């Protein structure tokens, strides 16, 4: 009987340890920040998905029409944040942009190196010609890379920025 009760005590300890590990895991997960909505860019067969460079659960981050330099600087910092994701685009590929329904609901625009590529959209998807993405209006030439910035906006006030770097593949 001693072996039997000893066996039960060992199983009981393991069960308590397992329950404790599960509880600790749930506690750690509840302390984590929720992931931001994601933006996806696809070219050819390849896709990348990125979390926001700037996002505070849909709250207004700044006013694009503001004359205040602090507001403009905050927006500029979001737009120039280094992208974590890079996608190679081959000549002739369409660049497809996709956003989550919550992002589309409030409205979003896409920019390439700070220049608007789309008007405000409430759709979850749009596509662009790759040549248009890499064409620099400032230099009037094709560039080897571009940063696509997807920006959610409510009435001229931005609520999030997602940055993804695109590299132009050699022909």
């Amino acid at each position: 009987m001693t072996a039997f009760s000893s066996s039960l005590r060992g199983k009981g300890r393991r069960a308590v340890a397992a329950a404790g590990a599960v509880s600790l895991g749930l506690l750690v997960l509840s302390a984590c920040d929720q992931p931001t909505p994601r933006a996806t860019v696809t070219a050819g067969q390849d896709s990348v998905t990125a979390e926001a460079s700037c996002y505070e659960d849909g709250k207004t981050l700044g006013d694009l029409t503001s004359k205040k330099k602090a507001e403009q600087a905050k927006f500029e910092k979001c737009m120039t944040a280094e992208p974590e994701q890079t996608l190679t685009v081959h000549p002739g590929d369409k660049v497809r942009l996709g956003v989550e329904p919550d992002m589309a609901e409030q409205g979003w625009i896409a920019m390439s190196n700070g220049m608007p590529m789309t008007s405000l959209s409430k759709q979850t998807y749009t596509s662009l010609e790759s040549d248009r993405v890499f064409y620099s209006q400032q230099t009037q030439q094709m560039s080897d890379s571009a940063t696509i910035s997807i920006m959610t906006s409510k009435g001229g006030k931005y609520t999030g920025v997602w940055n993804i770097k695109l590299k132009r593949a050699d022909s």
Side-chain angles (χ1 to χ4, degrees):
M1 188 113 161
T2 311
F4 180 71
S5 63
S6 170
S7 171
L8 283 179
R9 276 186 273 170
K11 287 181 182 177
R13 285 186 197 135
R14 286 191 295 269
V16 168
V22 168
S23 297
L24 181 61
L26 290 174
L27 180 63
V28 168
L29 284 176
S30 67
C32 293
D33 291 333
Q34 287 186 335
T36 66
R38 296 174 185 250
T40 301
V41 178
T42 303
Q45 301 294 319
D46 300 319
S47 293
V48 295
T49 301
E51 288 199 31
S53 300
C54 295
Y55 186 79
E56 292 179 13
D57 201 25
K59 296 179 185 141
T60 298
L61 298 174
D63 186 346
L64 300 178
T65 61
S66 176
K67 303 253 189 261
K68 296 179 183 173
K69 289 189 184 219
E71 291 283 329
Q72 294 170 355
K74 187 174 181 181
F75 176 69
E76 186 69 27
K77 183 178 177 183
C78 291
M79 292 294 290
T80 58
E82 189 65 31
E84 293 182 13
Q85 302 291 331
T86 301
L87 179 66
T88 300
V89 180
H90 296 276
D93 281 351
K94 287 238 188 240
V95 176
R96 295 172 183 85
L97 311 175
V99 300
E100 292 187 10
D102 291 351
M103 295 166 64
E105 196 172 290
Q106 62 183 296
W108 63 282
I109 63 170
M111 302 177 92
S112 177
N113 293 333
M115 301 301 294
M117 301 303 291
T118 65
S119 56
L120 186 68
S121 175
K122 296 219 174 207
Q123 303 297 313
T124 58
Y125 166 87
T126 194
S127 63
L128 305 167
E129 297 295 327
S130 62
D131 287 350
R132 187 168 168 232
V133 172
F134 291 107
Y135 183 75
S136 171
Q137 292 183 0
Q138 294 168 336
T139 65
Q140 304 289 308
Q141 295 179 357
M142 297 295 277
S143 61
D144 292 332
S145 67
T147 298
I148 290 287
S149 298
I150 295 172
M151 182 182 72
T152 51
S153 177
K154 288 182 189 174
K157 298 176 193 248
Y158 70 97
T159 58
V161 177
W162 290 255
N163 293 321
I164 298 172
K165 183 174 184 168
L166 303 181
K167 285 179 56 177
R168 193 167 64 136
D170 295 331
S171 308

